[in-house]
Amino acid sequence: MTSIPHETTGEPNPLRALTLGRLRRRTSMKWRTYPEDVLPLWVAEMDVPLAAPVVRAVTHALELGDTGYPAGTAYAEALTAFAAKRWGWDGLAAERSAIVPDVMLGVVEMLRLVTGPGDPVVVNSPVYPPFFQFVEHMDRQVLEAPLGADLRIDLGVLEEAFRRAVAGGGRAAFLLCSPHNPTGTVHTADELTAVAALAERYGVRVVADEIHAPLVAAGTAFVPYLSVPGGESGLSLMSASKAWNLAGLKAAVAIAGPAAAADLARLPEEVSHGPSHVGVIAHTAALTDAGGWLDALLAGLDDNRLLLAALLADRLPAVRYRPSEATYLAWLDCRALGLGDDPAEVFLERGRVALNSGIPFGSGGAGHVRLNLATSPELITEAVRRMAAALR
């Protein structure tokens, strides 16, 4: 991981803003799933206060009673400006976008546009568990193309999966996670170009979940899938929800490459009824006015990655951890600890720290845990102390 710093804006690190006592007053999933003696570093919620521009925008909407149905393209326009500034990408066009309830429900709708019941959907395991759950629930078949030992896309394995996917003569899709959850891998332009070439060769449609796109480590460049040669026929889902902690304010943007505009145009009108209007307002404000807050968060996450690496080297040296290029998630290989396929269960029962089990992430997940880094350095330190104590 490079030492190039993030832009400094003078904003305080939001990861240091809240005490454990205040966090325990929250009623969301992260803080209500486990008993109070458990330290929760699992589900993808951040221990941060909301960015001030988001609070102002939502408060203003509530004061106006502006809580009706969403309308217009403000969210897509804000994302277009953000993409141009942050990623140097000017290929996001509001007229080739649609507001959807959230990224995973958007993924479902995009897959419905390009596949039919029983068709295969290729995924790179280990990967975000809802990729399996949502795809199977919509009567598609999940076909795994596991990542390589370096936690990057193995193009040979992916090609074989594509070959198998189209062998039956039906339609097939590749559900790309970019940046990748849980490994934090950021796919390069060359890798994505190779993916697009394979997809074109085998007639596989690419749907990209790019929800973690704003959350890249210093010195790392996120590359939108739709921006690479051959990506024109792809479909992408983006949202401000992960980067600004807005999961409870539902809204996301589905984006079509130029060659996929006709597919997106077939999206049923009723899908647009699902997003929250207040969510759209919040996400738009985040993208437009809360860039300084994001930069402070990214710098804090860079510090937390290095802290976790140092703590593990000191307290749990048998755990293999490669600081990620993106997301606020850490993928820990605990197989050398001798805790079996589900070390998360041991850390919970003996150490009272909640992490995500690697098993639901598919092939390559057994013996691993996912740890949420989006918290204070003090809580990360305490979590590693408890994990180490669980082995005694």
Side-chain angles (χ1 to χ4, degrees), residues 1 9 11 19 35 56 68 86 105 112 211 216 224 335 392:
M1 194 165 62
T9 60
E11 292 251 4
T19 66
R56 287 195 296 269
R86 294 275 170 159
L105 291 176
R112 283 196 176 117
I211 194 171
V216 293
R335 288 175 291 180
R392 295 180 192 146

Side-chain angles (χ1 to χ4, degrees), residues 45-378:
E45 297 180 22
M46 293 196 288
D47 296 344
V48 293
L50 287 185
V54 174
V55 175
R56 287 195 296 269
V58 171
T59 301
H60 181 63
L62 296 179
E63 288 172 343
L64 286 176
D66 190 8
T67 54
Y69 297 105
T73 59
Y75 189 177
E77 291 166 8
L79 184 56
T80 298
F82 183 87
K85 179 180 179 180
R86 294 275 170 159
W87 309 321
W89 180 40
D90 59 3
L92 200 167
E95 62 271 19
R96 293 198 311 275
S97 72
I99 303 299
V100 293
D102 59 31
V103 163
M104 280 311 303
L105 291 176
V107 162
V108 167
E109 295 299 336
M110 297 306 103
L111 290 175
R112 283 196 176 117
L113 295 176
V114 297
T115 65
D119 285 338
V121 177
V122 177
V123 303
N124 295 130
S125 54
V127 73
Y128 185 49
F131 275 26
F132 298 95
Q133 299 158 353
F134 279 71
V135 170
E136 291 167 353
H137 184 69
M138 62 181 295
D139 193 24
R140 270 59 170 177
Q141 302 176 53
V142 174
L143 181 57
E144 294 185 63
L147 298 174
D150 58 357
L151 302 182
R152 308 199 73 86
I153 293 174
D154 185 320
L155 292 172
V157 170
L158 185 66
E159 180 171 13
E160 177 57 26
F162 282 3
R163 185 181 293 114
R164 290 167 54 201
V166 301
R171 295 185 291 174
F174 173 38
L175 180 49
L176 171 69
C177 194
S178 179
H180 195 85
N181 175 3
T183 64
T185 304
V186 175
H187 310 303
T188 67
D190 287 345
E191 288 170 329
L192 293 175
T193 299
V195 166
L198 286 176
E200 175 66 24
R201 184 182 310 164
Y202 288 94
V204 174
R205 298 299 301 275
V206 178
V207 176
D209 171 355
E210 298 181 315
I211 194 171
H212 290 277
L215 293 165
V216 293
T220 302
F222 168 73
V223 180
Y225 177 75
L226 301 186
S227 73
V228 303
E232 298 85 0
S233 62
L235 295 158
S236 168
L237 286 305
M238 291 187 175
S239 175
S241 63
K242 284 292 183 285
W244 283 274
N245 207 40
L246 303 174
L249 292 169
K250 294 285 189 179
V253 181
I255 309 155
D263 293 307
L264 189 61
R266 293 187 286 108
L267 187 70
E269 191 272 338
E270 61 267 22
V271 174
S272 67
H273 299 175
S276 159
H277 179 48
V278 176
V280 169
I281 290 169
H283 290 223
T284 302
L287 290 162
T288 304
D289 299 318
W293 185 95
L294 176 63
D295 287 327
L297 170 72
L298 294 177
L301 290 174
D302 286 343
D303 291 343
N304 281 1
R305 292 185 189 98
L306 297 177
L307 172 64
L308 179 62
L311 289 169
L312 291 173
D314 180 47
R315 296 289 193 93
L316 290 165
V319 174
R320 295 179 59 191
Y321 165 57
R322 181 182 305 168
S324 63
E325 299 170 311
T327 79
Y328 50 76
L329 306 166
W331 186 237
L332 308 184
D333 182 348
C334 303
R335 288 175 291 180
L337 297 178
L339 301 180
D341 286 347
D342 194 5
E345 183 177 15
V346 177
F347 291 134
L348 176 61
E349 294 303 317
R350 299 184 195 168
R352 309 309 286 163
V353 56
L355 308 171
N356 287 97
S357 167
I359 295 172
F361 290 82
S363 297
H368 293 70
V369 298
R370 193 188 74 173
L371 183 150
N372 183 342
L373 281 166
T375 190
S376 69
E378 291 78 15

